[in-house]
Amino acid sequence: MTSANVFSSKGGLAYAELRRRITSGELAPGSRLSQYELAEEMGMSITPLREAIRRLASEDWVVMDAHRDVRVAPMSAFEARELLEVRFSLEPSATELAALRRTDREIAAMREAADALLPVTRSWGEEAITAHRAFHRAIYAASHNNVMVRLLDDLWDKADRYRRIGLELPAGAEPRTIDLNQHHRILELVVAGEGTAAAGLVRSHIRNSLGAMVTDALEGRERAYHPIAGRSA
């Protein structure tokens, strides 16, 4: 194996680990990455770590400044709104395709994921977020559209950072039984092959989701901090 291939392989490992830490919140938004400390911790040289960081920067997971300082990308109402809009556009379509293309094995996986669902509230925390993600992925993966699945995977990685904010909001302590029940109804519609109805329910689900609640809250905060922004002259 050439040295270039070794770096590429190690760079891939570093990329996967850093992305995991960012998506889980282990590396907080805006926090500085100590590159040499991370390289030592991961048991590799600085070269593959920098390769990983460049890739993460190209995907907007980290931000690099002119002094080669690297920080975890901050979170904003603007990004939250963009993620919500993309999800609203893609996931209903993927769900509709899933209702047409799902296999028996995929239906079994959907049912298993549904059985593991918990209300996404502060009391259930990370366990609920993980189960919620697994359920939605079981649905959209059955679309058999690899491009859609890849885009939705990336979107959910970024959107989950905002869901964790939602757990800290006042509403994060409240039961979300309507949201939980909608998951089971979406599953029933997909299994029954009712794609149009399933897509419509997913749209409603997204409008009332924790991600939508967080987006509204962040936009409200930004308007409070910058009350003049957005006013007409």
Side-chain angles (χ1 to χ4, degrees), residues 118-126 128 167 171-176:
L118 297 164
V120 183
T121 61
R122 192 176 307 152
S123 60
W124 290 105
E126 195 67 30
L167 299 181
E174 297 175 358
R176 295 182 61 84

Side-chain angles (χ1 to χ4, degrees), residues 8 14 16 20 31-32 47 55 57-58 61 64 72 94-95 108 111-113 135 160 166 180 183 185 206 220:
S8 178
R20 183 197 67 76
S31 61
R32 181 177 173 276
T47 303
R55 182 176 170 190
S58 73
W61 286 105
M64 304 173 68
V72 176
T95 303
R111 293 196 188 281
E112 183 177 354
F135 172 78
D160 270 348
L180 185 64
H183 289 112
R185 180 58 182 154
I206 294 170

Side-chain angles (χ1 to χ4, degrees), residues 23-44:
T23 57
S24 69
E26 194 175 323
L27 290 172
S31 61
R32 181 177 173 276
L33 300 187
S34 177
Q35 296 181 55
Y36 284 97
E37 286 181 14
L38 284 168
E40 183 177 356
E41 184 184 330
M42 294 181 188
M44 62 180 64

Side-chain angles (χ1 to χ4, degrees), residues 93-144:
S93 297
T95 303
E96 186 166 7
L97 289 174
L100 298 174
R101 299 174 177 175
R102 74 282 181 276
T103 64
D104 290 343
R105 180 177 295 180
E106 286 164 340
I107 289 172
M110 292 175 204
R111 293 196 188 281
E112 183 177 354
D115 289 341
L117 283 168
L118 297 164
V120 183
T121 61
R122 192 176 307 152
S123 60
W124 290 105
E126 195 67 30
E127 186 180 358
I129 286 178
T130 300
H132 180 245
R133 167 73 177 270
F135 172 78
H136 281 274
R137 194 183 193 283
I139 298 287
Y140 68 70
S143 69
H144 295 268

Side-chain angles (χ1 to χ4, degrees), residues 139-186:
I139 298 287
Y140 68 70
S143 69
H144 295 268
N145 184 310
N146 292 331
V147 174
M148 269 188 181
V149 172
R150 189 162 55 248
L151 290 171
L152 283 165
D153 279 346
D154 288 343
L155 182 148
W156 271 79
D157 279 347
K158 289 188 175 179
D160 270 348
R161 296 205 300 167
Y162 290 90
R163 290 184 187 90
R164 291 184 179 91
I165 291 179
L167 299 181
E168 301 308 315
L169 296 174
E174 297 175 358
R176 295 182 61 84
T177 53
I178 293 175
D179 184 74
L180 185 64
N181 291 337
Q182 281 182 336
H183 289 112
H184 293 282
R185 180 58 182 154
I186 290 167

